Amino acid sequence: MSSYPMSPLMGQMMSQPLLISSILDYAAKHYPTTEIVSRRVEGDMHRYTYRDCHVRARKMANALTSLGVTMGDRVATLAWNGYRHMELYYAVSGSGAVLHTINPRLHPEQIAYIANHAEDQYLFFDLTFLPLIEAVAAHCKSVKAFVLMAGRERMPTDTKIANLLCYEDLMASSSDDYQWPLFDENSAASLCYTSGTTGNPKGALYSHRSTVLHAYGSAMPNALNVSATDTVLPVVPMFHVNAWGLPYSVLLSGAKMVYPGAALDGKSLYELFEAEGVTFSAGVPTVWLGLVNYALENKLRFSTFRRTVIGGSACPPAMMDTLIDQLDVQVIHAWGMTEMSPLGTAGGLQSKHLSLPKAAQRKILQKQGHAVYGVDMKIVDDDGKELPWDGATYGHLLVKGPWIISSYFKNEGGDVLQDGWFPTGDVATIDADGYMQITDRSKDVIKSGGEWIGTIDLENIAMAHPAVLQAACIGIAHPKWDERPLLLVIKRPGQDVTREDLLHYFDGKIARFWMPDDVIFVEALPTGATGKIQKNKLRDQYKGHLLPTA
Ligand code: ADP
C-alpha cells in the first residue's frame, strides 16, 4: 500500500505485520491469570482469564473455518459487552475475516440495510436480540446462518429463523489447535457504520495496522493511561467504534477487564464497579448522568474508581466538577469519531499547569484536549485556509493519521479527503499549547446575523444551573437574524426554575447576542443509537416554534 520512495539503505529490523491476533497472544502469554469478568444477559456473572479467552478464541476461529468463513468475509455481531463478544473480536479478525459490529439500537430496517450492504455471511447475536433477529432475518440476504451466543439450553424450540446455530455447540465441537495466520497488516479487520443521522449509514473499514496502532496510541499515559494495575469497565458499547478500542488496548496493557452486559443503569453499574474493584471506565455523558445521580442520591462514594474517560459528545463542566470534587474521580475529556477509530484528542495537564489555581486547571481539563501521537490536526476557514492556534479563532477541524479513514467502505460518498486531510464536520478552536476545544458540529452551529453561536457553550452554562439536569440548544428560523437559539431543558427531579431565572443565569457569561431567545421545559430529549441527543429531530419538532423576538 505504501506509495513512498525507498531509501537506498533500508533498516535491518524484523518486519512483522501488526496483526490483532498478536494482542491476544501477548495478553495470554504475559498476563495468563488476569481476569475477564462479564455480567451475562442470562443474568449471572461469568469469570475467566486471558489464557481461557485465548483457548476459546482459537476454538471459535476453527469453528469459523469449518463454517466456510475465509479471509475478507464479513461476520456480524449484534451483542452487548461480554466475553463471547470479545472472543469473536479476536476469532473473526485474527483468522483474517472482518468483524462487523452492528448497533442494535438502530431501526430494524437500518440493521437489514447494513447487513446487506456489508454482505455479512454470518450474524452472531445475544439472547436479548432474538426478537430483533426474528424480525430482520428474512431481509438479510447474504447471511448463511444466525448464531445465538448462548448455550444449548437457551436455544428457542419454536422460532421463525430457519438457519439458527448455537454458539456453545460450535465451541464444544471445535479444537483449540489453531495457528493464527500471518498476512498483510493493511488487510481489513473490522467494520463499523456511522449512525447516519442524514442519509444511509456509511462503513468505516479498519485495518489490522490501524487497529494495533490505535491501541498503542490510546493506551499511552497522556491518553487513556491504561496499565496492568487497572481494572477497566468499558461502558461504551463494543458495537460502537469497537468500544473506543478498549478490547485491544486493555489487553496489551495487561489490565483486568469487566464487561457490564446489558445492565447500564446507575445502580447496576455502581454495584459492578464496587464488586470488581473497577479503577477506570469510559462512556458518553448520558451514561455518567445515570451513574453520578445514583451515587449522589444514595450518598455513595466509589472505593476504587478513580479515572474515567468521557467523550462522544461534550462533557458538561458541571458533570466534570461533580465527578472530580464530589466523587473523587478524575475525568479525561476525549474527542474522536467512528472515522478516527475513534481517538483523536485527550484532555490533561502539562507540568507547567500544575502550579495554576484549581479553576484555571479546570478550564484546561474542560477542553477536548491534546492530539494523541498519531493524529495530526488543523483548523481552516470556509476556503480551506489554515487558521491560527490562538484559542479564540474557530474553524473547520481537519485530521490525518494512520488510524483515520481514507474512504468509506465500497467508496460510499466518493472522495472524502481534502488535500489528504479528513474533514471531521466539527468546528473547533486550538490554543497555543495545542489544546483543541469543540465549539459545535458544523450542522448544529447557529448562524445569527452572519455570526456563529456555539450550542455546546450554551448547553454547558445551562447545565451548571442547579435545577437543570440536561439541556439542548438548537437554531430556530428567525425573520431578521436567520437563526436564533432555542434552549430545551429537562429539570432535575424536585427542582424548579423559571424561564426568566434561567435566562438571567446567562447574564455576564456570554456575549449578548448569544442569549437564547426562548426556553422550553421538556420531560425528555430524543437520543440516538449512540446515546447522543438527536438535534435534527429537535429541529424538526420545533420548526414552527414562534420565538418571542420573532
Ligand atoms: P455519529 O454520532 O455521527 O455516529 P460518532 O459517534 O463517531 O458519530 O461521533 C463523532 C462526533 O461526536 C464528533 O464528530 C463530534 O461532533 C462528537 N464528539 C465526540 N466527542 C466529543 C467531545 N468530547 N465533545 C464534543 N463533541 C464530541
Side-chain angles (χ1 to χ4, degrees):
M1 286 245 297
S2 169
S3 52
Y4 299 104
M6 286 230 249
S7 161
L9 185 63
M10 296 299 284
Q12 290 175 293
M13 307 307 279
M14 287 187 196
S15 168
Q16 210 169 299
L18 300 175
L19 297 180
I20 286 174
S21 53
S22 68
I23 298 179
L24 182 58
D25 281 347
Y26 172 81
K29 187 166 179 184
H30 299 279
Y31 300 98
T33 58
T34 299
E35 277 186 305
I36 302 162
V37 181
S38 310
R39 194 200 289 274
R40 301 206 295 182
V41 289
E42 290 95 319
D44 56 350
M45 296 298 295
H46 174 273
R47 349 179 50 95
Y48 72 170
T49 63
Y50 283 134
R51 187 193 280 135
D52 302 326
C53 178
H54 194 229
V55 170
R56 283 179 43 105
R58 282 175 295 136
K59 281 182 162 207
M60 192 42 65
N62 264 328
L64 292 169
T65 309
S66 55
L67 288 173
V69 174
T70 57
M71 272 195 80
D73 282 351
R74 269 79 70 200
V75 174
T77 57
L78 255 176
W80 299 107
N81 291 7
Y83 68 106
R84 291 189 183 112
H85 204 175
M86 190 160 98
E87 288 160 7
L88 289 166
Y89 261 56
Y90 286 93
V92 174
S93 303
S95 63
V98 179
L99 180 85
H100 172 207
T101 50
I102 304 182
N103 188 334
R105 296 186 187 128
L106 292 174
H107 191 274
E109 260 172 39
Q110 263 186 331
I111 293 181
Y113 169 86
I114 289 177
N116 286 323
H117 189 269
E119 299 168 67
D120 294 329
Q121 303 285 301
Y122 289 90
L123 198 161
F124 287 69
F125 66 99
D126 268 339
L127 198 53
T128 338
F129 303 120
L130 184 60
L132 183 55
I133 295 294
E134 289 187 323
V136 299
H139 306 288
C140 300
K141 301 291 179 215
S142 54
V143 176
K144 294 179 188 149
F146 296 85
V147 186
L148 176 59
M149 293 160 68
R152 166 110 329 248
E153 69 289 353
R154 302 277 170 173
M155 293 299 281
T157 44
D158 180 26
T159 173
K160 283 188 278 182
I161 310 167
N163 36 5
L164 183 65
L165 302 174
C166 167
Y167 187 88
E168 291 303 337
D169 280 1
L170 287 177
M171 194 62 92
S173 59
S174 303
S175 143
D176 67 349
D177 183 10
Y178 184 88
Q179 202 62 49
W180 300 116
L182 292 177
F183 43 81
D184 189 314
E185 63 185 15
N186 289 299
S187 306
S190 65
L191 177 63
C192 181
Y193 282 75
T194 62
S195 353
T197 33
T198 51
N200 276 323
K202 296 198 281 290
L205 186 60
Y206 310 118
S207 69
H208 283 260
R209 175 185 157 81
S210 71
T211 307
V212 173
L213 289 176
H214 176 267
Y216 262 123
S218 58
M220 287 209 304
N222 290 334
L224 307 191
N225 191 13
V226 189
S227 83
T229 56
D230 275 316
T231 294
V232 183
L233 187 150
V235 180
V236 51
M238 291 166 84
F239 53 73
H240 186 54
V241 213
N242 297 334
W244 298 349
L246 289 165
Y248 310 112
S249 55
V250 169
L251 270 70
L252 63 75
S253 310
K256 172 180 164 184
M257 182 76 101
V258 181
Y259 283 129
L264 302 178
D265 59 287
K267 181 173 190 289
S268 309
L269 283 176
Y270 179 82
E271 286 168 3
L272 195 55
F273 274 61
E274 288 300 297
E276 295 301 330
V278 171
T279 60
F280 176 67
S281 186
V284 295
T286 36
V287 164
W288 296 117
L289 210 58
L291 182 59
V292 166
N293 281 346
Y294 177 78
L296 293 183
E297 276 163 20
N298 295 284
K299 301 196 172 30
L300 300 167
R301 292 294 173 270
F302 294 103
S303 6
T304 53
F305 181 36
R306 289 294 167 263
R307 269 166 33 249
T308 187
V309 56
I310 300 186
S313 45
C315 170
M319 175 180 286
M320 183 179 279
D321 291 346
T322 308
L323 276 160
I324 301 178
D325 301 329
Q326 295 189 49
L327 296 170
D328 199 15
V329 176
Q330 277 305 318
V331 175
I332 304 165
H333 192 191
W335 166 85
M337 58 199 303
T338 307
E339 290 85 341
M340 300 175 65
S341 303
L343 192 61
T345 61
L349 300 177
Q350 299 172 22
S351 44
K352 67 176 176 185
H353 300 136
L354 297 179
S355 54
L356 290 177
K358 191 173 118 178
Q361 289 186 347
R362 203 57 62 84
K363 281 262 170 271
I364 298 170
L365 292 175
Q366 282 162 5
K367 298 195 173 195
Q368 275 76 1
H370 218 267
V372 174
Y373 170 75
V375 174
D376 194 6
M377 62 183 182
K378 64 175 180 180
I379 42 173
V380 300
D381 66 13
D382 284 342
D383 301 322
K385 195 164 93 19
E386 201 163 341
L387 295 169
W389 290 23
D390 58 12
T393 312
Y394 48 85
H396 305 286
L397 181 61
L398 271 56
V399 289
K400 66 165 154 184
W403 59 77
I404 289 162
I405 197 165
S406 61
S407 56
Y408 288 99
F409 184 44
K410 295 187 171 172
N411 217 23
E412 220 45 66
D415 288 341
V416 287
L417 302 190
Q418 288 176 11
D419 292 332
W421 292 78
F422 177 73
T424 63
D426 286 328
V427 178
T429 61
I430 307 177
D431 67 22
D433 285 326
Y435 288 86
M436 186 276 285
Q437 184 157 29
I438 301 275
T439 321
D440 227 325
R441 286 191 132 180
S442 46
K443 47 184 186 266
D444 293 337
V445 88
I446 299 172
K447 295 178 191 88
S448 171
E451 300 272 2
W452 284 7
I453 298 178
T455 61
I456 294 179
D457 263 350
L458 293 177
E459 289 157 6
N460 283 345
I461 294 172
M463 282 189 275
H465 189 285
V468 175
L469 182 68
Q470 242 187 324
C473 189
I474 53 168
I476 295 286
H478 189 282
K480 179 161 176 208
W481 302 110
D482 287 342
E483 279 183 336
R484 291 295 304 155
L486 166 68
L487 191 65
L488 301 152
V489 169
I490 306 180
K491 286 185 213 168
R492 275 186 191 282
Q495 304 268 2
D496 209 8
V497 59
T498 63
R499 173 186 179 279
E500 285 65 33
D501 283 348
L502 193 54
L503 290 177
H504 273 311
Y505 188 68
F506 283 87
D507 279 340
K509 299 188 172 88
I510 46 168
R512 281 249 30 104
F513 81 97
W514 278 46
M515 186 63 81
D517 278 28
D518 207 357
V519 179
I520 299 181
F521 294 102
V522 293
E523 292 299 314
L525 290 164
T527 51
T530 54
K532 304 185 195 193
I533 295 172
Q534 289 174 304
K535 292 201 179 172
N536 54 333
K537 282 226 171 114
L538 289 174
R539 278 191 289 263
D540 282 349
Q541 194 180 337
Y542 291 96
K543 208 184 207 151
H545 180 74
L546 202 58
L547 293 168
T549 55

